[in-house]
């Protein structure tokens, strides 16, 4: 089952990479002209928002727990924290946590549409522009290859100016670069979250395949060891019976 889901998720990720790369390229061109935008300016951190993208099911080893550890490490200061859980396991983990601000709409990752993420992104961007949150992180598992997945976090707001460098040329904006950026930032945040979601889905199914393959091998080894132990016990019992019969006949 995971093999089939992995293939579908990987196809979505591969097709989406073109979009994510173009989004970054376009946003890079805009952002290099909008250094005065509030979305670039860092400020004193009084509150952080974490978008935590975990799995929908178990049987994936430490896949989910590694993400929770990252959130706790980033929250280990005097700043307040808000959590938006994605995935059934993240929802269950943070359901009773007072930091959770969205408890509906993100239960099953592979059923979350881009439209829902875009709506959430607009909400996050507005909260950031109003000063209700000072930093926004997305915490997810990055897919490296079938044997390796890495739990990571990325700060998506405020946008790091070092991440985007001007590629030369002159661009003109109407009415201004800042206004164009303000209109495009929702699309940027949505793309970053959706890209992380695609990576997480691929990583989850890859991790489950590895975990189940390892479990199958371990179960096989246990069966072999128990079979050997059973045969030894059975042979010992037979030998004991033969010994008792021989001893009885001699008497």
């Amino acid at each position: 089952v995971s093999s089939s889901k992995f293939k579908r998720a990987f196809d979505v990720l591969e097709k989406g990479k073109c979009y994510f790369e173009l989004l970054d390229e376009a946003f890079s061109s805009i952002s290099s002209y909008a250094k005065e935008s509030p979305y670039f300016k860092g400020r004193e951190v009084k509150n952080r928002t974490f978008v935590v993208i975990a799995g929908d099911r178990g049987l994936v080893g430490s896949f989910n727990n590694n993400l929770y550890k990252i959130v706790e490490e980033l929250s280990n200061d005097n700043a307040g924290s808000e959590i938006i859980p994605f995935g059934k396991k993240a929802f269950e983990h943070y359901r009773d946590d007072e930091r959770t601000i969205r408890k509906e709409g993100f239960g099953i990752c592979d059923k979350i549409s881009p439209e829902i993420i875009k709506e959430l992104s607009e909400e996050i961007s507005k909260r950031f522009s109003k000063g209700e949150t000072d930093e926004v992180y997305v915490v997810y598992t990055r897919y490296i290859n079938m044997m390796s997945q890495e739990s990571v976090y990325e700060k998506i707001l405020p946008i790091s100016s070092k991440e985007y460098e001007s590629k030369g040329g002159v661009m003109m904006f109407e009415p201004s670069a800042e206004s164009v950026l303000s209109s495009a930032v929702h699309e940027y945040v949505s793309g970053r979250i959706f890209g992380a979601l695609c990576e997480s889905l691929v990583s989850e199914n890859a991790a489950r395949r590895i975990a189940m393959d390892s479990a199958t091998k371990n179960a096989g080894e246990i069966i072999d060891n128990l079979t050997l132990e059973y045969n030894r016990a059975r042979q010992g019992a037979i030998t004991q019976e033969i010994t008792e019969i021989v001893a009885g006949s001699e008497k």
Side-chain angles (χ1 to χ4, degrees), residues 13-168:
L13 177 62
E14 286 296 299
K15 293 176 182 178
K17 279 185 177 180
C18 296
Y19 166 76
F20 303 140
E21 290 173 0
L22 288 173
L23 179 65
D24 282 346
E25 182 178 350
F27 206 84
S28 175
S29 300
I30 298 173
S31 62
S32 59
Y33 291 88
K35 299 300 183 182
E36 298 303 316
S37 170
Y39 294 106
F40 278 89
K41 292 183 177 180
R43 55 199 184 216
E44 181 184 359
V45 179
K46 297 180 181 179
N47 195 40
R48 294 187 180 94
T49 298
F50 298 99
V51 179
V52 184
I53 305 176
D56 292 325
R57 299 168 184 83
L59 305 177
V60 285
S62 59
F63 180 89
N64 297 313
N65 289 331
N66 289 338
L67 300 173
Y68 307 149
K69 290 178 182 178
I70 289 178
V71 174
E72 296 309 316
E73 289 174 0
L74 294 174
S75 304
N76 193 22
D77 57 19
N78 295 325
S81 299
E82 300 173 342
I83 295 175
I84 302 175
F86 274 67
K88 185 177 180 181
K89 289 301 178 180
F91 172 79
E92 292 175 352
H93 184 79
Y94 292 111
R95 177 170 48 196
D96 299 324
D97 196 313
E98 60 182 8
R99 298 174 296 175
T100 304
I101 61 174
R102 290 290 295 267
K103 298 184 178 181
E104 75 290 336
F106 313 115
I108 305 297
C109 285
D110 57 7
K111 294 184 178 179
I112 299 175
S113 66
E115 290 74 19
I116 295 177
I117 294 181
K118 187 175 182 180
E119 179 184 346
L120 173 66
S121 300
E122 292 177 355
E123 178 184 334
I124 291 175
S125 300
K126 289 178 181 178
R127 287 174 56 82
F128 181 82
S129 63
K130 292 179 181 179
E132 296 176 5
T133 183
D134 302 302
E135 288 182 340
V136 180
Y137 290 86
V138 57
V139 184
Y140 68 101
T141 304
R142 177 184 296 154
Y143 176 77
I144 299 175
N145 53 51
M146 183 59 69
M147 300 297 297
S148 179
Q149 301 84 39
E150 180 184 14
S151 299
V152 298
Y153 66 92
E154 295 177 356
K155 183 166 68 174
I156 56 179
L157 288 176
I159 303 167
S160 173
S161 58
K162 295 181 180 180
E163 184 177 353
Y164 298 98
E165 298 179 357
S166 176
K167 297 182 179 180

